[in-house]
Amino acid sequence: MSAPLLEIDDLRVDYASPRGPVRAVAGVSLSLERNRILGLVGESGCGKSTVGQALMGLVQAPGRIAGGDIRFEGRSLVGLPERDMRRLRGDRIAMVFQDPTATLNPVLTIGEQIAELFRWHRPKLARREVERWVVALLERVGIAEAERRRRAYPHELSGGMRQRIVIACALALDPALIVADEPTTALDVTVQAQILELMRGLQAEHGTAVILISHDLGVIAETCDDVAVMYAGRIVESGPTAEVLARPRHPYTAGLIASRPSIDAPGRVVRPIPGTVPDLARPPVGCPFHPRCGQAVAACRDAVPALQPIPEEPRHAVACPRAA
């Protein structure tokens, strides 16, 4: 078998604070094969966006990568000089951010912003050729009248169209990996479905691997091949999406599913997870979820459980002593 496209090994990310270091990511390990979509899901503050930022080399002070490694196409990205990281960003690895309004430059046309990627990474391309590529990209992401739209400014487009532009920027140089951080949160439900369908279709067409970061299990279920559930900076459950959502083995995953309304079961009682997320500057001893868990046993308070494969489901792993 070929090596995974991406391997993250025991990644730890700290942020300095007056009360001491806050460990936003506390030993995350995962791998991603080519042509797969991996979902990172969890509550706000669980560390999923920080994993994406670390992968892109975008963790800035007061944050720092405190340990572990990130290997992309066999090359370690941790400690890579910024000059080398810039060559990778947009070319081999691209990112789709949550808010297209904040991502796009308001004083440049759409065409100019996409063309800038080619000027930086493909400087030998002629201007006329770049313009043809820009129009082709806009057509690829479903922008009507692409020749005219490339001359538009971001404020002249709808939110859904702006997000399509951001996706076009990410796809411009056919990267091997796209990190999509909550790409549909700011959009209404109808446009959200269109964007997810677009991303899934483009991924299947070009074989690009995708990490989709979301707090929405519905988005994950609809889009992702595999899922990693994060809580308090750790992965507590991972595996094939259909398997994890149908048979959750960690109480936190089960709690996320139970707290989500479903149109397929209108009579089902929605049960929120009790309590609040832990203070990452002073995390609880043992499993970080045990103060909120109705199934906690003594072993949950003694040590942080490791993520272990389930014997009867080898691709499904869980960090819970009760699931062993």
Side-chain angles (χ1 to χ4, degrees):
M1 293 181 62
S2 60
L5 175 70
L6 173 72
E7 295 175 283
I8 299 178
D9 181 27
D10 195 27
L11 178 66
R12 285 157 281 147
V13 180
D14 289 351
Y15 284 87
S17 79
R19 297 189 300 133
V22 175
R23 179 140 289 178
V25 177
V28 163
S29 296
L30 56 84
S31 65
L32 178 62
E33 305 288 339
R34 300 172 192 274
N35 199 27
R36 301 283 288 181
I37 301 181
L38 170 67
L40 277 183
V41 66
E43 293 171 282
S44 296
C46 72
K48 55 190 187 296
S49 291
T50 304
V51 171
Q53 291 166 4
L55 171 57
M56 297 297 297
L58 297 176
V59 175
Q60 299 179 342
R64 69 183 184 93
I65 294 179
D69 196 15
I70 301 170
R71 292 183 297 278
F72 174 71
E73 295 183 325
R75 181 185 189 184
S76 177
L77 303 185
V78 175
L80 197 67
E82 176 60 20
R83 180 181 59 185
D84 295 337
M85 199 66 212
R86 284 180 180 173
R87 292 195 184 103
L88 285 175
R89 287 193 209 108
D91 188 357
R92 300 300 297 154
I93 310 173
M95 193 160 192
V96 176
F97 292 95
Q98 176 176 340
D99 184 1
T101 303
T103 303
L104 297 171
N105 190 327
V107 300
L108 294 179
T109 66
I110 297 305
E112 288 172 328
Q113 296 186 57
I114 300 176
E116 189 174 355
L117 290 164
F118 289 96
R119 285 195 292 268
W120 176 261
H121 292 284
R122 304 288 189 273
K124 293 183 180 180
L125 285 178
R127 179 177 176 180
R128 191 62 61 86
E129 190 173 359
V130 169
E131 289 177 353
R132 285 197 296 268
W133 270 108
V134 169
V135 173
L137 276 167
L138 294 179
E139 291 173 345
R140 189 193 297 181
V141 299
I143 299 293
E145 301 179 82
E147 178 62 43
R148 181 174 66 86
R149 293 291 189 184
R150 74 180 178 88
R151 298 183 176 87
Y153 290 88
H155 72 272
E156 297 176 305
L157 305 176
S158 68
M161 290 183 70
R162 285 196 292 267
Q163 193 61 295
R164 288 173 185 267
I165 299 301
V166 172
I167 293 171
C169 290
L171 290 169
L173 302 172
D174 288 325
L177 172 63
I178 292 177
V179 180
D181 189 0
E182 303 273 11
T184 60
T185 297
L187 307 175
D188 64 51
V189 176
T190 303
V191 177
Q192 180 182 94
Q194 293 171 355
I195 294 298
L196 291 175
E197 183 180 357
L198 169 67
M199 289 188 64
R200 183 74 186 189
L202 291 170
Q203 182 272 336
E205 180 183 350
H206 297 279
T208 308
V210 177
I211 294 179
L212 178 61
I213 299 168
S214 180
H215 66 276
D216 189 333
L217 281 175
V219 168
I220 296 296
E222 185 178 334
T223 312
C224 300
D225 302 305
D226 305 287
V227 63
V229 182
M230 288 192 66
Y231 184 78
R234 302 178 184 275
I235 293 176
V236 297
E237 187 163 5
S238 66
T241 303
E243 198 170 283
V244 170
L245 298 185
R247 295 182 297 278
R249 303 297 290 266
H250 197 282
Y252 177 64
T253 309
L256 286 178
I257 295 170
S259 64
R260 183 176 183 270
S262 172
I263 60 173
D264 298 323
R268 181 170 65 86
V269 177
V270 176
R271 295 184 175 87
I273 300 174
T276 58
V277 295
D279 179 357
L280 295 183
R282 300 288 187 272
V285 176
C287 173
F289 187 63
H290 87 256
R292 305 174 69 185
C293 181
Q295 303 176 37
V297 295
C300 302
R301 301 174 179 85
D302 295 337
V304 177
L307 191 68
Q308 299 284 354
I310 298 170
E312 63 272 24
E313 300 172 359
R315 292 191 59 221
H316 190 169
V318 64
C320 179
R322 290 180 58 88

